[in-house]
Amino acid sequence: MEPELGRLEDLPADYRETLTARHLVPLWPSLRAVLPPHVPARRTQPVHWAYAALRPLLMRAGELTPIEKAERRVLVLANPGHGLEKMQASAAMYLGMQLLLPGEWAPSHRHTPNAVRMVVEGEGAWTTVEGEKCLMQRGDLILTPTGLWHEHGHDGDAPVVWLDVLDLPLVYYMEASYVVPGARQAVRPEHGEHRWRRAGIAPSPVFTRSDKPFPLLRYPWAEVREALLQLAAESSGDEAVQVTYVNPETGADAQAILGFYALLLRPGQTLALPARSPAQVFHLIEGSARVEVAGQRFTLAPADTCCAPGFEPVTLTNLHPDAPSFVFIADESPLHRKLGVYEVRGG
Ligand code: GTQ
């Protein structure tokens, strides 16, 4: 037990008032709040956003608000633990479901926060990033990293929905979040998907090495899914079958602050993840899965999303007895590792 410390009320009122007038604060009444013993205080609560409940509200937004009045037509998945107005899923993660209707265009801009798009529904939309036109198909991951121009368009004939994951809360907290509006981009024929066609071969530096901080912007789901199935076929039943979205040039995480992963849960598999410092987000791409964290138990249907605070063990169960389930995961690991605060407990 930590010894109890003096309270603010224990101090004479005139002394407190003088401190306030001088912009001074006594530490000891707040010391346990900012440095809680052994386990950090976490505002992030376990929360489940069911797509079935969210989708009609997003479609309603499509009727209520034209794209010109929204620029980005997004319903934010806000964690009540942080206060809805903060628009945070966790300390560093922002989640939004974005709707683009046929023929609409979300104009070009660039901003300091990093974003990724996980395509949830619909065909025919695209995101152009620094002149590279990235098709958006279900399960594709598209990066729009810090500082890169991006705009979204839609040539299909049905609504397209995707999940935005940004490090906006962190960058905003740093007082470094801002946007620059731009003009429609010219699409260039060169594409990271061409230069990084296959793992194991890289463009030779002599002529073609890009020197771009983000050489690959689209990770097609068809290929990630295939890779997971192959990994599952060639590993033992107890191993977690997971891939990390990386920068193919460096092998480092695809972005600097948040980490992105795709997980295959084998038929009937239960995966016990140890408590780790970063918060996590789980989004079900395909199948049926249960997520248990901090006394909560969520059943994820396809396109459902939930979040889990850091420092809590998480149990994932594939509810399909005879088919794999596929989970997209975002977490704060790259940030925690870079800051030196990453930890795993009791694993
Ligand atoms: O599509 O560029 O959910 O700038 C929030 C901010 C999406 C976007 C969001 C953004 C975008």
Side-chain angles (χ1 to χ4, degrees):
M1 243 341 253
E2 310 281 326
E4 215 165 286
L5 301 177
R7 299 166 305 165
L8 204 53
E9 307 85 83
D10 300 337
L11 299 170
D14 65 320
Y15 176 68
R16 281 153 53 188
E17 279 158 26
T18 308
L19 288 179
T20 304
R22 301 265 184 276
H23 305 151
L24 296 167
V25 176
L27 173 61
W28 57 98
S30 304
L31 183 62
R32 298 280 184 257
V34 293
L35 285 173
H38 306 296
V39 183
R42 286 142 300 158
R43 291 189 194 280
T44 303
Q45 295 171 1
V47 184
H48 174 204
W49 294 272
Y51 191 59
L54 189 163
R55 189 183 188 282
L57 298 167
L58 191 56
M59 295 304 150
R60 188 84 206 286
E63 294 160 13
L64 294 170
T65 306
I67 193 70
E68 296 75 21
K69 289 285 175 199
E71 273 178 36
R72 300 295 191 265
R73 191 191 289 109
V74 175
L75 291 181
V76 178
L77 284 55
N79 195 313
H82 289 270
L84 296 184
E85 73 288 352
K86 292 281 171 53
M87 300 198 295
Q88 293 179 236
S90 70
M93 290 189 284
Y94 157 105
L95 300 173
M97 278 289 182
Q98 181 160 174
L99 168 67
L100 204 60
L101 295 170
E104 287 185 338
W105 179 61
S108 194
H109 69 190
R110 59 191 177 109
H111 41 67
T112 44
N114 295 273
V116 302
R117 330 288 164 178
M118 165 53 51
V119 183
V120 170
E121 171 182 335
E123 297 279 332
W126 42 265
T127 294
T128 297
V129 189
E130 292 282 312
E132 292 189 21
K133 188 170 181 174
C134 299
L135 295 183
M136 302 181 91
Q137 289 170 326
R138 172 64 186 144
D140 290 354
L141 186 74
I142 291 154
L143 311 187
T144 61
T146 179
L148 301 197
W149 292 108
H150 56 281
E151 63 191 88
H152 315 293
H154 188 358
D155 303 326
D157 49 21
V160 165
V161 178
W162 64 82
L163 177 69
D164 292 317
V165 186
L166 281 77
D167 48 27
L168 177 61
L170 178 77
V171 179
Y172 183 79
Y173 179 73
M174 291 162 62
E175 302 187 346
S177 174
Y178 70 94
V179 69
V180 179
R184 191 181 278 264
Q185 299 169 68
V187 173
R188 292 187 289 103
E190 316 89 74
H191 206 295
E193 278 185 75
H194 306 152
R195 286 194 294 277
W196 297 96
R197 197 70 203 89
R198 199 183 193 294
I201 53 166
S204 299
V206 214
F207 300 121
T208 47
R209 196 72 169 245
S210 63
D211 279 335
K212 290 180 176 174
F214 304 97
L216 186 58
L217 299 170
R218 176 173 181 252
Y219 300 75
W221 174 239
E223 291 175 16
V224 176
R225 188 181 190 279
E226 188 59 35
L228 286 168
L229 287 170
Q230 202 68 50
L231 279 175
E234 294 182 10
S235 56
S236 89
D238 308 331
E239 281 173 54
V241 183
Q242 184 176 295
V243 293
T244 302
Y245 293 90
V246 298
N247 175 328
E249 218 159 83
T250 63
D253 290 289
Q255 290 185 346
I257 295 176
L258 302 182
F260 306 100
Y261 320 86
L263 171 74
L264 177 152
L265 290 168
R266 299 168 196 276
Q269 183 179 18
T270 293
L271 195 60
L273 304 175
R276 299 180 312 135
S277 52
Q280 304 178 80
V281 164
F282 302 96
H283 172 83
L284 192 73
I285 296 179
E286 182 184 323
S288 174
R290 185 163 60 222
V291 178
E292 288 165 279
V293 58
Q296 299 287 310
R297 172 184 269 236
F298 306 133
T299 300
L300 301 192
D304 283 10
T305 307
C306 71
C307 69
F311 290 91
E312 297 288 345
V314 176
T315 305
L316 303 174
T317 304
N318 185 1
L319 298 176
H320 260 323
D322 47 27
S325 288
F326 296 92
V327 187
F328 169 65
I329 302 173
D331 79 2
E332 302 166 334
S333 292
L335 174 67
H336 280 224
R337 288 183 210 273
K338 287 187 175 86
L339 298 183
V341 299
Y342 181 86
E343 48 174 303
V344 183
R345 295 234 172 137

